Structure formats: C-alpha cells, structure tokens
Amino acid sequence: MSTEFQDAHLAEVKPLVEKEEAITRLLPDFDVQEQDVETMHGMVHVTMCGTPRGNRPAILTYHDIGLNHKTCFNPLFNFEDMQEITQHFAVCHVDAPGQQDGAPSFQAGYIYPSMDQLAEMLPGILKQFGLKSIIGMGTGAGAYVLTRFALNHPDMVEGLVLININPCAEGWMDWAATKISGWTNALPDLVISHLFGKEEIHSNHDLIHTYRQHIINDMNQTNLHLFVNSYNSRRDLEIERPVPGLNVVTLQCPVLLVVGDSSPAVDAVVECNSKLDPTRTTLLKMADCGGLPQVSQPAKLAEAFKYFVQGMGYMPSASMTRLMRSRTASGSSVTSLEGQRSRSHTGEGTRSRSHTGEGTRSRSHTGEGSRNRSHTDTRIELTPNSASNAEQSGPKSMEVSC
C-alpha cells in the first residue's frame, strides 16, 4: 500500500533558542532536580527532568569528552519536536565525574574511573531515582558507557540511541598519534578534533568557536584530561553479530546508530553496525551533518528518535512532526499514518533516507509491503546494508540516510 505526497516546500526549522544560549540553557518546562549521587565508584552529578511514569522507561543521556549534558544535549532537548517526546518520558542527564559546570578539581592522587567503571555507576543512579529501565542516548564516550551498561544489564535497557560510537579499543597507532599530538597541541584542540571533522572545523567557524570557548572557559581542564585519558584507555566492547547456534556477546535491545556524513566517527559507527544484530539495528547517516548531529540537525534527529520509540510501542497516537505537518499543509493526502506503520522490532519504526534522489520512502522492516512517498526534501528510505550483510541470508539491518 502506498501513499503519494505532493512536492512540499519545507520552511527552515529553527531551535527555540539561539547559538550559545541554546547549548547551555534548558527550557523551564519540566520539574528539574539536580543531585550529586554517590555510586560504587564515586560521586556523579545527575539532572532529572520530569517525573518517572510508572513502568515506562526514562530517557537517560550520557555525553562525550569535552562536553557535559548541557552542551551535548540541550540543543536537541530544547527543540520543539523533541519536547513533544519528553512529555511522555522523564529525562535523566548524567554528567561524567568532574565534567559538570563549576566542577571542582579532584584531590591529588584521585584515580578517575575506567569506562567500565563509569558504566557500573549507572545502576546506582537508576536506583536513586526509582527508575526500572531506560532508553539510553549517548554520544562518543557516553555511547560507549551506555553500550557497556546495556551489555552488563540488558534487563535495564529497553533501547539505545548511539551517536558516534566507537566499539573498539584505541589501537597502538591511534595511541601514539594521541600522545604525539598531546605534546604539540593544547587539550582543547585535541577535543575539537575528536568532536568535529576537518571539513566542519574549517567551514563552521561560529560553531567551532562556541565549543572551543566552552571547553576553555567552562570545563575543568584537569578533570577533562582525566576523562579523556579514561576514554583513550577503553577496552574493546567485543560485540559480535549473532550467528544461529553460537552464543555471542551482543546488544539485546533495539539500537539506533547515528552519525553525520562528515563526522570523524563514520568508519567506527559503520564498523559497530556490522557487529550488531541486523534485526534490531538501524544506522542513520545524516547528510550535510558533522560531528554533533544533535546540535546541527536537531529536527532530523528528533524525528528519527520519535519513530524509534514508536517502534518500541510508545507514543502510538503522538501527533506528526513539523516536517510531516509541512507536507500535509501543502495539500498532500495522508491516510492512517500510524496504522500503516509496522511495529516489529526488526526496524524499530525508524525511517531511513536514500541518496538515490528518487524521493521514494520505504517503511517496511522486512523489505516487503513498502510505502512510497514523493516530496522534494528530507527523503527517507529503508535500505539494507549491502556491504556488511551481502553474505547473510537472514534479516538485514537498515541503513538510513537523510
């Protein structure tokens, strides 16, 4: 069954707050409480937005190096379409030890937690706030921490959105390059090169300046250095794509992998995709997007996240996003949008976008019964990862390009 869309002009969608203000201020629409929570590996700063709702999971975020929850996720959570989602979920923002605004330096001799230990701190946070399960959203180092947590406690994680994840340990060549760079470059430069691609650094001067100033002026440099060293010392996650008859280490929950097409993490995310269960994994490659999709493309990421949680069975009657409303306002006919969406976990209700330019959109999780839509912008089409799955006869993971 297919639904045809007329060409629609999509007006530019802007965040509710601008630039520097957007990355640090959380709109005051929620009951917000901040706590320093004692865990088995030390104290961690947590910001809880909203009230947990019964057995419904909370959204738990974990940031990358050089960031905290505000600079990493506020541009996304301040966005109007994302706030529609957070009306249905409590949100728990975790700051890695010593990375929150105004954090004091650790005492001399302090040993920073390893990445595995950071993951072991999360059960204590869930217990503190009475959370039974989460939908995790992590970037870079935070994505690694949440993945390790999900591997250790699969019963506590219902889904994961992993941005710029690298599932591998740092190789000796990478380690040597980091050490050499550390002798010749300041810490802020190292962090910027981790967060953003070369093209973005050279072209998007305002964004890079904003984050560089944050790293220099707002982050405790000693604490940041410890966090960076912890991430660079990470172990390989040792995940493997499931094979019938073999017991392998893999994620048990639905996963949405996200990366910008000019991000320095593209290769790592693609490799992670090749190691996960193809029936539970969607890879979202975002066109014209750099190292922080949640900052540069909040509308697209909010839309993808909405369909991800709907694929998990939540928010079944939520209203359309502004992108979809733009299409319907142009005179297009939309019939039973929710009823036509498959809710199996094989694709997690997430739409993928095609580079073909034909404007077709497939919404099938198995490759059958697809719907086609035609419009002029933000095309979405589900397509298998042909390179990594060509030799597999089983279900394919889905690669999304938008």
Side-chain angles (χ1 to χ4, degrees):
M1 180 177 181
S2 65
T3 303
E4 295 298 330
F5 284 77
Q6 299 176 2
D7 289 350
H9 174 70
L10 301 185
E12 181 182 3
V13 182
K14 297 182 178 180
L16 298 182
V17 288
E18 299 292 340
K19 292 187 178 180
E20 290 86 351
E21 182 185 20
I23 70 171
T24 57
R25 184 168 71 89
L26 186 65
L27 296 183
D29 290 338
F30 305 98
D31 177 21
V32 178
Q33 53 177 316
E34 297 187 44
Q35 290 187 25
D36 290 324
V37 179
E38 183 67 42
T39 72
M40 62 188 303
H41 296 292
M43 199 76 72
V44 62
H45 186 79
V46 181
T47 302
M48 190 73 184
C49 303
T51 304
R53 300 176 178 232
N55 292 325
R56 177 166 293 192
I59 299 171
L60 186 143
T61 73
Y62 213 115
H63 59 86
D64 202 353
I65 60 173
L67 306 173
N68 53 40
H69 85 270
K70 294 180 179 179
T71 52
C72 190
F73 292 110
N74 275 8
L76 175 63
F77 282 86
N78 286 343
F79 200 73
E80 180 179 339
D81 290 340
M82 193 65 184
Q83 291 187 34
E84 179 187 11
I85 299 172
T86 55
Q87 292 175 4
H88 300 267
F89 299 92
V91 180
C92 181
H93 295 293
V94 179
D95 288 317
Q99 308 306 304
Q100 72 272 21
D101 286 349
S105 296
F106 294 112
Q107 295 181 354
Y110 174 81
I111 299 177
Y112 201 86
S114 67
M115 299 299 289
D116 291 358
Q117 290 173 332
L118 292 177
E120 292 170 359
M121 298 167 83
L122 295 181
I125 295 173
L126 269 64
K127 181 179 180 181
Q128 174 70 22
F129 291 97
L131 305 177
K132 296 181 179 180
S133 63
I134 65 163
I135 299 172
M137 179 181 291
T139 301
Y144 181 101
V145 170
L146 290 178
T147 302
R148 177 65 70 187
F149 173 61
L151 292 173
N152 294 341
H153 302 278
D155 56 318
M156 294 184 179
V157 182
E158 296 194 24
L160 287 174
V161 178
L162 305 175
I163 305 169
N164 299 338
I165 184 171
N166 188 340
C168 303
E170 188 175 45
W172 72 268
M173 292 186 67
D174 295 325
W175 177 86
T178 300
K179 290 298 182 183
I180 294 173
S181 298
W183 298 332
T184 58
N185 296 285
L187 181 61
D189 294 326
L190 293 176
V191 173
I192 288 294
S193 65
H194 165 79
L195 296 175
F196 303 99
K198 293 181 179 179
E199 177 183 343
E200 195 171 18
I201 292 173
H202 293 146
S203 61
N204 199 337
H205 300 292
D206 289 343
L207 179 67
I208 301 304
H209 175 76
T210 296
Y211 277 87
R212 186 185 299 276
Q213 290 304 306
H214 158 69
I215 294 168
I216 294 173
N217 298 324
D218 301 329
M219 301 294 294
N220 184 305
Q221 300 296 292
T222 302
N223 297 356
L224 173 57
H225 189 266
L226 293 173
F227 187 26
V228 170
N229 285 343
S230 179
Y231 179 62
N232 287 339
S233 302
R234 66 191 181 277
R235 295 191 300 130
D236 194 296
L237 286 172
E238 298 180 339
I239 52 178
E240 297 181 48
R241 175 157 288 188
V243 177
L246 295 180
N247 185 20
V248 299
V249 176
T250 192
L251 291 171
Q252 303 297 320
C253 63
V255 180
L256 175 62
L257 300 175
V258 182
V259 67
D261 61 357
S262 64
S263 167
V266 169
D267 291 342
V269 175
V270 171
E271 180 173 357
C272 184
N273 181 59
S274 71
K275 295 182 176 183
L276 294 177
D277 186 345
T279 68
R280 296 176 179 268
T281 306
T282 301
L283 170 61
L284 174 62
K285 286 184 180 179
M286 303 184 72
D288 302 319
C289 183
L292 297 179
Q294 72 275 25
V295 175
S296 59
Q297 299 280 3
K300 290 181 180 179
L301 185 54
E303 188 177 22
F305 183 64
K306 177 179 176 179
Y307 282 102
F308 180 70
V309 297
Q310 285 183 328
M312 296 170 61
Y314 298 107
M315 298 174 55
S317 60
S319 63
M320 296 178 293
T321 64
R322 285 189 289 179
L323 290 178
M324 187 61 68
R325 290 197 295 269
S326 296
R327 296 169 195 148
T328 59
S330 70
S332 301
S333 172
V334 182
T335 59
S336 187
L337 185 62
E338 293 297 333
Q340 294 175 23
R341 181 181 304 119
S342 169
R343 286 309 185 85
S344 79
H345 281 308
T346 56
E348 300 312 320
T350 309
R351 299 172 299 168
S352 66
R353 309 195 180 207
S354 170
H355 292 295
T356 61
E358 298 173 357
T360 58
R361 176 182 301 168
S362 167
R363 297 300 299 279
S364 168
H365 298 291
T366 60
E368 302 174 357
S370 64
R371 297 187 296 173
N372 293 323
R373 298 181 181 174
S374 176
H375 51 88
T376 59
D377 197 8
T378 58
R379 294 183 300 276
I380 303 178
E381 180 178 332
L382 286 178
T383 56
N385 289 316
S386 56
S388 59
N389 299 328
E391 299 179 358
Q392 295 203 21
S393 59
K396 310 291 186 180
S397 62
M398 294 299 171
E399 180 173 341
V400 179
S401 199
C402 59

